[in-house]
Amino acid sequence: MSNIVIVESKNDAIFMKAMVKKLNCDIQVETPIYIHDYECLEGLSETKLITTLKALKADLQKKDIEKIGIIIDIDTCSEQERLKFVDKCIKQVFEAESLSSTKQFIDICTTDHGTNAKLACYFTNVGGKGELETLLKAIKARDSTYADCLDSWKTCLESQGKQINQKEFDKFWISNYIRFDTCLNKEQKQAGRKCSMSEFDYVMEHKKDIWDWDNPALDDLKEFFKLFC
């Protein structure tokens, strides 16, 4: 029997694979959904999740899949809004009971082929808001002087009547943390390849220690993955 987790983006997949490895769970992190960063999972994004679930439905007839996970960002939505969205997409593809909470399995089935599996979801967040970068910021393990000084920059912007939202600020903070606070001298000449979110796979393979894997901010995510172990 195999387990599959569907995630939202390439970097989500890279991070979640590292988490799975830490927990020593037998989970395949599936091809990302690639939901647009700036959408609250509406319109086309709903179509993408439904399309992914339909592809998974076809796989259920070919592979011995026991458990399925869906991980998406909570962003600025409430948990109930996210649950309603995911539940709606599931009902478009499978016969299933209602999805009423995270980190709990529901049974899904396809009556045409008689296949069955369990499905659970989790919404990446810190304190009920955010996305992957929000989580990474919360679990940073190194001195973050360069990134932290962006607070003064943000204050300066606001004093000039300019704004940057928290989502974009967290992305910028993480980029600076990786590029300036954690980039080793020998990596400086190849910073674009070794010290950036665009090459997050290198960061997660070679510099896992820049994150605090025991941080309480990861407890809920670990609890979700342990459902599959």
Side-chain angles (χ1 to χ4, degrees):
M1 302 292 280
S2 61
N3 300 316
I4 289 179
V5 172
I6 299 167
V7 295
E8 189 171 329
S9 72
K10 175 184 175 182
N11 284 347
D12 286 308
I14 292 166
F15 180 79
M16 297 307 169
K17 285 177 182 177
M19 175 65 75
V20 166
K21 190 173 181 179
K22 281 279 183 182
L23 295 173
N24 194 30
C25 292
D26 181 19
I27 308 172
Q28 176 185 344
V29 180
E30 191 55 274
T31 303
I33 301 170
Y34 285 122
I35 295 168
H36 194 281
D37 280 344
Y38 301 95
E39 294 176 356
C40 193
L41 297 182
E42 297 171 347
L44 180 61
S45 296
E46 181 178 307
T47 301
K48 287 181 180 179
L49 181 52
I50 291 171
T51 299
T52 301
L53 290 173
K54 285 181 176 179
L56 185 61
K57 179 180 178 181
D59 281 343
L60 286 175
Q61 278 102 62
K62 306 171 191 173
K63 303 176 183 177
D64 198 9
I65 299 171
E66 180 183 15
K67 296 175 182 178
I68 301 161
I70 298 174
I71 300 178
I72 58 177
D73 298 333
I74 200 165
D75 287 325
T76 57
C77 298
S78 70
E79 182 173 296
Q80 286 305 310
E81 287 171 331
R82 277 293 190 253
L83 284 167
K84 184 177 179 181
F85 166 79
V86 176
D87 188 61
K88 180 181 178 182
C89 293
I90 293 169
K91 295 286 180 62
Q92 295 291 315
V93 181
F94 298 102
E95 290 198 10
E97 56 190 300
S98 293
L99 191 67
S100 59
S101 63
T102 61
K103 299 180 293 181
Q104 288 190 10
F105 283 118
I106 59 170
D107 293 320
I108 60 172
C109 65
T110 58
T111 53
D112 48 346
H113 292 280
T115 53
N116 296 276
K118 293 183 179 296
L119 183 147
C121 67
Y122 178 79
F123 308 132
T124 304
N125 76 95
V126 176
K129 299 294 179 184
E131 57 179 342
L132 177 63
E133 283 82 1
T134 316
L135 183 59
L136 293 176
K137 184 180 177 185
I139 66 169
K140 64 96 179 181
R142 298 278 185 85
D143 175 81
S144 55
T145 300
Y146 282 94
D148 289 339
C149 282
L150 291 173
D151 288 328
S152 297
W153 170 76
K154 185 172 182 286
T155 299
C156 178
L157 282 180
E158 292 168 349
S159 71
Q160 301 298 316
K162 304 293 185 180
Q163 299 289 328
I164 181 169
N165 64 39
Q166 193 61 46
K167 184 185 184 78
E168 291 303 318
F169 181 78
D170 287 346
K171 287 180 181 294
F172 196 29
W173 192 99
I174 288 297
S175 292
N176 278 268
Y177 174 66
I178 292 173
R179 172 65 179 85
F180 298 107
D181 288 304
T182 70
C183 197
L184 302 175
N185 289 335
K186 64 182 181 180
E187 295 172 326
Q188 293 290 344
K189 292 182 180 180
Q190 301 181 67
R193 188 171 70 84
K194 297 182 177 180
C195 305
S196 72
M197 283 298 284
S198 63
E199 300 294 335
F200 194 49
D201 50 350
Y202 177 91
V203 174
M204 292 307 297
E205 181 179 352
H206 298 281
K207 301 197 288 185
K208 292 187 182 74
D209 61 340
I210 69 172
W211 316 113
D212 175 12
W213 295 95
D214 295 318
N215 192 290
L218 292 173
D219 287 351
D220 276 355
L221 181 57
K222 289 178 181 178
E223 186 178 335
F224 173 75
F225 276 128
K226 286 176 181 176
L227 296 173
F228 297 82
C229 294

